[in-house]
Amino acid sequence: MPAMTSDITGLADELFDLGLQANPLRATRLGLPGFDHLMPDISRSGEQSQEVVVRRILDAALATDPPEAAGKVTRAAVLNTCESWLDALAERSVEHTVSVMGQGPSVLFGTAATTTLVTPEAAQAHLDRTAAFPGYLDTHVERLRQGVADGRLPVTTLVAVALAQVDGYLAADDSDALADVAPPADWDGASAWQESLRDVVRDQVRPALSRWRDAVAALPTRPDERGGLVHLPGGPAAYDALTRMHTTLPLTAQE
């Protein structure tokens, strides 16, 4: 017998929770607790784990037939979200994209710039997240190298701009955007926390940024005039998938 509306609602909730686990930075932006100490797992194994769950939710949603209009809308949204998620995982943009708008150091700088800490618990979570920055950066380098091995190279100018951003940060001697996050107001543990944050940034994050900078500078790149996805192996199919993902329309990129 087809599953009912309550089942599709449960699947939607599960999919939403999976999205927060996959992107804890989004959870922080939404003000949802429990994720503020985490960084995204952008490894291939992490994405493969996501794919298993998304496919299970997709199959379960396909088996539902909610009678109410609201349930039908929820089902359509779950199906579209699952299909778009699978398209994004298949495209593997993290393996060929270096920019100040995507994965990599810009995520660190953006997180620090938008973080407001109001409780000691939030401060500790941010310290834990900062300590996770190096592993995240090292994984980003690993993914870029996997992309290069598959002939999927980042774009020359975008690499240069991202490197300049990191060079500017590492060269600054009058301030440190990652270490200057303000503690909660009127907190008697603020001084010790600030010292811990400075230690983590100095001893762990900055060396990781230097590693990232040197590794990315050594990667081969593709020229700006070949910056489009169509110039990558599998690029035309990826373009079609991203067209579906961003428009929800069953059209090819050519159309």
Side-chain angles (χ1 to χ4, degrees), residues 47-68:
E47 291 189 349
Q48 288 165 354
S49 296
Q50 292 175 31
E51 181 179 356
V52 170
V53 180
V54 173
R55 289 193 182 280
R56 176 178 58 75
I57 295 173
L58 175 62
D59 290 342
L62 287 169
T64 65
D65 185 18
E68 304 96 333

Side-chain angles (χ1 to χ4, degrees), residues 10-232:
L11 291 171
D13 289 342
E14 184 179 0
L15 187 61
F16 181 75
D17 290 341
L18 180 64
L20 299 180
Q21 295 165 25
N23 189 355
L25 298 173
R26 179 171 182 264
T28 297
R29 290 194 297 271
L30 293 173
L32 300 176
F35 299 90
D36 296 344
H37 61 299
L38 301 173
M39 286 294 292
D41 179 1
I42 59 172
S43 66
R44 276 193 179 179
S45 61
E47 291 189 349
Q48 288 165 354
S49 296
Q50 292 175 31
E51 181 179 356
V52 170
V53 180
V54 173
R55 289 193 182 280
R56 176 178 58 75
I57 295 173
L58 175 62
D59 290 342
L62 287 169
T64 65
D65 185 18
E68 304 96 333
K72 294 182 186 299
V73 170
T74 300
R75 180 180 185 271
V78 168
L79 294 178
N80 179 260
T81 300
C82 287
E83 291 163 355
S84 295
W85 196 329
L86 293 173
D87 281 339
L89 290 174
E91 203 279 316
R92 304 198 313 273
S93 64
V94 68
E95 293 187 357
H96 63 77
T97 304
V98 177
S99 79
V100 295
M101 298 291 290
Q103 300 285 3
S106 62
V107 172
L108 279 60
F109 301 133
T111 298
T114 58
T115 294
T116 300
L117 304 173
V118 296
T119 67
E121 293 76 16
Q124 182 59 51
H126 181 73
L127 181 62
D128 293 341
R129 173 172 279 172
T130 303
F133 283 174
Y136 164 82
L137 288 171
D138 291 341
T139 302
H140 189 229
V141 168
E142 177 186 352
R143 293 302 302 273
L144 290 170
R145 286 172 172 161
Q146 289 168 337
V148 168
D150 291 338
R152 294 154 58 83
L153 310 182
V155 179
T156 301
T157 293
L158 297 181
V159 170
V161 173
L163 292 176
Q165 181 189 45
V166 173
D167 288 341
Y169 167 79
L170 293 174
D173 54 11
D174 56 343
S175 65
D176 190 315
L178 301 181
D180 291 343
V181 176
D186 303 320
W187 177 34
D188 57 9
S191 179
W193 177 84
Q194 285 179 308
E195 183 176 354
S196 295
L197 182 62
R198 285 192 292 267
D199 288 347
V200 167
V201 171
R202 181 190 64 241
D203 299 336
Q204 300 178 43
V205 178
R206 292 180 72 91
L209 280 165
S210 293
R211 289 196 303 273
W212 183 94
R213 188 250 177 256
D214 291 344
V216 171
L219 294 176
T221 61
R222 71 183 192 273
D224 296 352
E225 60 269 21
R226 295 179 62 81
L229 287 176
V230 294
H231 299 293
L232 294 175

